[in-house]
Amino acid sequence: SIGAVSEQLQHVDGAMLGREAYHHPWLLARVDPALFGESPPLGSPFDAIDPMVDYAWRHVRGGGHLREVTRHLLGLFNGLPGARRWRQVWSDHQFKAEAPARVREMAHAALD
């Protein structure tokens, strides 16, 4: 947690978030504001979706696989209604040939 990191920084020069950042990636957007008084980079997890989809599109066009990017989106809404379906859509192999924007539409529908 950010509180645990803050506590550890009283004794050490750095702290690792480890799997918490992987399972709850939105935590990363709150670290610098909480620990260093920086402005939040984004207002909500929804603000992260379009830039990631744009990046995913460029990645796929360059020969990469959609999953290499979208795996980092899976935990974005953990704990919220629709989060399970959100993960299922992004992880579904039947959509791997779809345009990232189309997969985003299907995943976003799970959160509505």
Side-chain angles (χ1 to χ4, degrees):
S1 72
I2 293 175
V5 168
S6 180
E7 181 182 320
Q8 290 300 313
L9 289 177
Q10 303 302 313
H11 310 288
V12 297
D13 293 334
M16 185 174 81
L17 294 171
R19 293 195 182 270
E20 185 64 18
Y22 186 77
H23 293 294
H24 298 98
W26 187 246
L27 172 73
L28 296 176
R30 298 190 327 257
V31 171
D32 286 353
L35 298 179
F36 307 113
E38 299 286 331
S39 297
L42 300 168
S44 79
F46 289 97
D47 297 335
I49 298 169
D50 286 341
M52 284 297 287
V53 168
D54 291 343
Y55 174 73
W57 182 245
R58 290 190 310 274
H59 183 72
V60 169
R61 283 193 340 228
H65 298 281
L66 182 61
R67 174 92 173 110
E68 294 167 344
V69 175
T70 59
R71 67 182 175 179
H72 302 291
L73 292 172
L74 298 181
L76 199 54
F77 296 101
N78 277 349
L80 298 177
R84 182 176 182 204
R85 182 67 185 138
W86 165 267
R87 290 189 303 273
Q88 289 171 337
V89 170
W90 283 114
S91 300
D92 195 325
H93 291 287
Q94 75 179 2
F95 301 134
K96 68 182 179 183
E98 293 281 344
R102 174 70 181 121
V103 180
R104 175 199 55 213
E105 290 170 12
M106 291 183 285
H108 199 155
L111 298 171
D112 289 340

